[in-house]
Amino acid sequence: MNDIALITGTSSGMGLHAAVELARRGLHVVATMRDTAKAGALRAAAGEAGVEVDVRALDVVDHAAAARLVAQIEAELGGIHVLVNNAGQGSVATAEQLTMDEVQTQLDINYLAPVNLTKLVLPGMRERGSGRILTVTSVGGAVGQPFADAYCGAKFAVEGFMQSLAVVAERFGVGVSVMEPAAVASAFVDNAIRPENGGPYGSLLDAYISRTAGAFANAQSAESAGAAIADAVLSDEYRFRWQSSEGATRFVGVSLADTDGSGVLGFTRSWIAAG
């Protein structure tokens, strides 16, 4: 039996391509998405690559459904050797514009869902003495960005959780890592929650959206980001923090070397300056 990989958020984008690439490299991939009626693109990409993927439904915020799925996979296939927490959702709004329900949604999808799945697969990995858990965060998990308050907050939180877990899990043979992509060509921006009216923040929001549109116009391809995820999962080298491109590495480096916080704020202030 090939190693079993469970990956979330595979209906499009880098999740789709990561699923296909992991299958191409010999893993049995259980590819999940909220609505399996949207699996056509994934199945077509898998067919073109000459591989098969095991498509199953999962709404990652439904923790009971996640528990049932993990138990089902373990019973049918003998265990989960790789977990890729890829499902996520963006949010464009600053603090005053956010409802607490919107903040909770960001936490539910980007933080609590990967935490729950990680907890579910850990017992089996620990008992076998091996496993890989990779959570796709974002450069926004290292660099706080204007009008991404709730999104970056959730991504910072999941990075902190995984970094804290990493040194404990490794004592049992389990590698815990994060992948930090920058802009990736996908439907991510289209699916982001955003305010209908900028109000007093209108000109600042317009400047931010203009800058972000430019970044996504020159985005990394979803195919190469998916390959980077597969590379990290299957690498013989263990690292906690991975980035999907050289640009992403430079981006997060601004924050990770910024001991007083001035570097990041100096960097992001220009994003909301009128042109």
Side-chain angles (χ1 to χ4, degrees), residues 114-167:
V115 166
N116 179 57
L117 276 165
T118 296
K119 282 171 54 61
L120 290 169
V121 303
L122 266 174
M125 291 182 177
R126 173 178 50 75
E127 289 167 8
R128 285 188 300 273
S130 65
R132 285 288 180 96
I133 297 170
L134 178 75
T135 299
V136 179
T137 61
S138 166
V139 292
V143 178
Q145 300 170 43
F147 294 99
D149 306 21
Y151 175 76
C152 288
K155 292 297 190 179
F156 267 63
V158 79
E159 287 213 356
F161 184 94
M162 296 301 171
Q163 191 168 39
S164 299
L165 171 63
V167 293

Side-chain angles (χ1 to χ4, degrees), residues 23-46:
R24 194 182 68 78
R25 299 192 197 187
L27 280 72
H28 178 111
V29 176
V30 179
T32 73
M33 59 190 70
R34 186 168 51 186
D35 181 2
T36 56
K38 297 180 178 179
L42 172 60
R43 290 196 170 104

Side-chain angles (χ1 to χ4, degrees), residues 235-247:
S235 176
D236 291 333
E237 171 197 7
Y238 170 73
R239 288 163 50 183
F240 172 71
R241 198 182 298 276
W242 298 83
Q243 294 84 40
S244 63
S245 66
E246 292 182 2

Side-chain angles (χ1 to χ4, degrees), residues 16-17 19-21 23-24 39-53 223:
L16 180 156
H17 291 287
V20 172
E21 187 63 19
R24 194 182 68 78
L42 172 60
R43 290 196 170 104
E48 289 177 10
V51 298
E52 294 184 2
V53 292
E223 292 88 343

